[in-house]
Amino acid sequence: MAAIPVLTATDENPRVIRGACPHDCPDTCATMVTVEGGRATRIQGDPDHPFTQGFLCAKVNRYLERTYHKDRLTVPLRRVGPKGSGQFAPATWDEALSDIAARLNAIRASDDGAESILPYSYGGTMGYVQSESMDRRFFHATGASKLDRTICATAGMVGMQMTVGASIGADGEGMPHSDLVLLWGTNTLTANPHLWPYVLKARENGATVIAIDPIRTRTADQCDEWIGIRPGTDAALALGMMHVIFAEGLQDDDYLEQYTLGADALRARAAEYPPSRVAAITGVAEEVMVSLARRYGSAKAAFVRINYGMQRHGGGGMAVRTIACLPAVVGHWRRPGGGVQLSTSANFQFNKTKLVRPDLSPPVRTINMIRLGEALTQPDAGVGGPPVKALVVYNSNPAAVAPDTNEVRRGLMRDDLFTVVLEHFQTDTADYADWVLPATTQLEHWDVHFSYGHLYATLNQPAITPMGECKPNSEIFRLLAARMGLTDPCFADDDVTLIRQALDATHERMQGVTFDALMEHGWVRLNVPRPYTPFATGGFLTPSGKCEFFSERLQQMGLDPLPTFTPPHEYPEAAPELAAKYPLTLISSPRHQFLNTTFVNVESLRRDAHPEVMIHPEDALSRGIVSGSRVSVRNDRGTFHGVARVTDAVRETVVWAPSIWWLKYADDGANANATTSQRETDLGHGPVFYDNLVEVAVAGA
Ligand SMILES: Nc1nc2c(c(=O)[nH]1)N[C@H]1C(S)=C(S)[C@@H](COP(=O)(O)OP(=O)(O)OC[C@H]3O[C@@H](n4cnc5c(=O)[nH]c(N)nc54)[C@H](O)[C@@H]3O)O[C@H]1N2
Ligand SMILES: Nc1nc2c(c(=O)[nH]1)N[C@H]1C(S)=C(S)[C@@H](COP(=O)(O)OP(=O)(O)OC[C@H]3O[C@@H](n4cnc5c(=O)[nH]c(N)nc54)[C@H](O)[C@@H]3O)O[C@H]1N2
Ligand SMILES: [Mo]
């Protein structure tokens, strides 16, 4: 590929500015933005970056269209109509900041105190500066309640912590050395597309590629095999694989002996999962399961890419933990391309303490973000303490993404709730705000990024000046801190200072990750070998230093210390009455062209699309549904509608509603989260978006 000239900011036009894709995706691409006459005219992937490899995804190729969208918010807006009506009038920054500062300070001074202020943020941008620095300092210093940011990954994260010790796993760059690739609960081509070239290289080198997913996704379609497992039953499949591996002597006794804890106990547990039992639980035929186990057991370096889809079930933490045991049973961690990868995030050791200043916070309560509905509608926020009286939302769109949107909306409608939303667009959440503040995009601000799918740190330099009166999140919190009389000198740090503080890290993996190196190259590999084999000779980050099949920590938490199959909350066998009413499991994983709710309003990506519901021919037939029928999807929590597509790409009793739609683009003002619950996973207090029984029926026009 031709080299792209990278010029410095002082050179003549056109300039190429290096950046980072800010989105919540494992790929964290290195971008190059061409700027001509002050306007960004082109965005492309860095051809030299080992993961980005010069291409961007369907969505981020449209980043300029999104940035220059006619609906970009460019001035502060004050609500002038009823909540939810979307009626706003422009205001000055001075008016907005004065009013917000006065309202928040009044709450702090009231009997309920500062804990009745709740920040709400998630992955709109993944950069440290705009998501985890000045904002956190601000809320810490005001004494606001803390937010437990569980909405995506904590079940799996804790599952990994309990087993290998941290969110660390196999390096994708080793995948070409693999002789078997399992894409297990991951829609790679949609959600992690920059891993795909490595999957193809492994296959060129002779590897078989297998997808394990209740849906035959576009990824599964490209694999050599698709195993259409029943949702929420992955731990049983993994235990069944271990059963066969131990029974047939395919385990690596030396690795087990040296680097694991509880191998005998695991072997006894696996013995409880013979193929017949596993087939009954998982819906995977015995011979398919046994063949998978044999191939896994006899492979030299199988790469198991698990992703977050499988952990969105009641037993999701245990599912991840159980699968994470597999490479230690067969010793695949020893070799490049072998092991399991959920996330690479814990390899990055930025100086978060300096960034977020936890010392500024008094002891306060913590509210779980997936229970926002409950927090806003129950007087003691469901966790004790004062009611939530102010909500400050940034980098998130909870009206559409949080589970149980009907309860969330009842909360957002409260007249006594003061809501501030920092946004690029008038989202469903912004419609409920008292103040909407216009925020900059990644083209307009500084940032520095980790990745959860590779091992490169990336810098983002601003390419253009902020649109209209937009300000970076960091600046908005800086200004609010000043208005509210917060005087700690840390509120004066500018964005480049924040980046330098993040990089002020001592961990040996961070050596060489410096501001100068990032300014020069745009991205820097962590100080680890390439490919990286973190557990080739043990070195697990658990208390014992071993891969913990037996976990004393789980035992202390009152949980099963060994891997086990934990059924979903809405498991038909355990809840026959519920299943009689609602016999189908709804999966609402991402639509290829959307990034959670980001990009839904970009016309070239939404096109003429409408919410869809994929249903198996047998399930459709018995309900009189044909492709094109308008259907309702419903349970006791709520209802949404979509257009049916009858397809054998979903297994029987599973329906798929590609997500996450903006409520305002749906003809009934609802999306899949009308039906999802605020219940938590077994580990990590995570959401159970796909552990969701529903019924589907033909609906009137
Ligand atoms: N294009 C695009 N890319 C994205 C996103 C996006 O919205 N759009 N979102 C980003 C974010 S925030 C995240 S967290 C990741 C999400 O991406 P992934 O981690 O890949 O997660 P999901 O897409 O939620 O689910 C992946 C697959 O798991 C399957 N699945 C569901 N339940 C089960 C189960 O019980 N067992 C098994 N084996 N499979 C199951 C689903 O059918 C789906 O195909 O992607 C990121 N990348
Ligand atoms: N039913 C169902 N629900 C789900 C999921 C699912 O698969 N199914 N997935 C879940 C998952 S994995 C996740 S991670 C969450 C995602 O939930 P969120 O993190 O809320 O993600 P988005 O919906 O993309 O909303 C991010 C918002 O941040 C804004 N934003 C981006 N950059 C900036 C910035 O610099 N400043 C400010 N102020 N705003 C910015 C964007 O405009 C966008 O509106 O949703 C969860 N909800
Ligand atoms: Mo996510």
Side-chain angles (χ1 to χ4, degrees), residues 367-425:
I367 292 179
N368 186 346
M369 71 186 298
I370 65 164
R371 300 174 77 157
L372 179 65
E374 199 178 287
L376 293 180
T377 55
Q378 297 186 13
D380 62 358
V383 292
V388 175
K389 298 202 301 196
L391 182 70
V392 182
V393 181
Y394 55 104
N395 300 347
S396 187
N397 186 10
V401 305
D404 197 353
T405 43
N406 289 322
E407 190 164 90
V408 172
R409 278 205 279 183
R410 271 199 301 282
L412 292 172
M413 284 297 286
R414 269 175 42 201
D415 271 325
D416 60 339
L417 179 72
F418 177 62
T419 303
V420 179
V421 175
L422 285 58
E423 252 302 346
H424 298 154
F425 291 105

Side-chain angles (χ1 to χ4, degrees), residues 32 51 60 77 95 176 243 251 270 288 364 379 481 521 537 634 683:
M32 305 180 105
F51 255 80
V60 177
L77 298 172
E95 290 164 338
H243 178 101
Q251 74 280 3
V288 172
V364 290
H521 303 290
T537 53
R634 160 182 87 78
L683 302 177

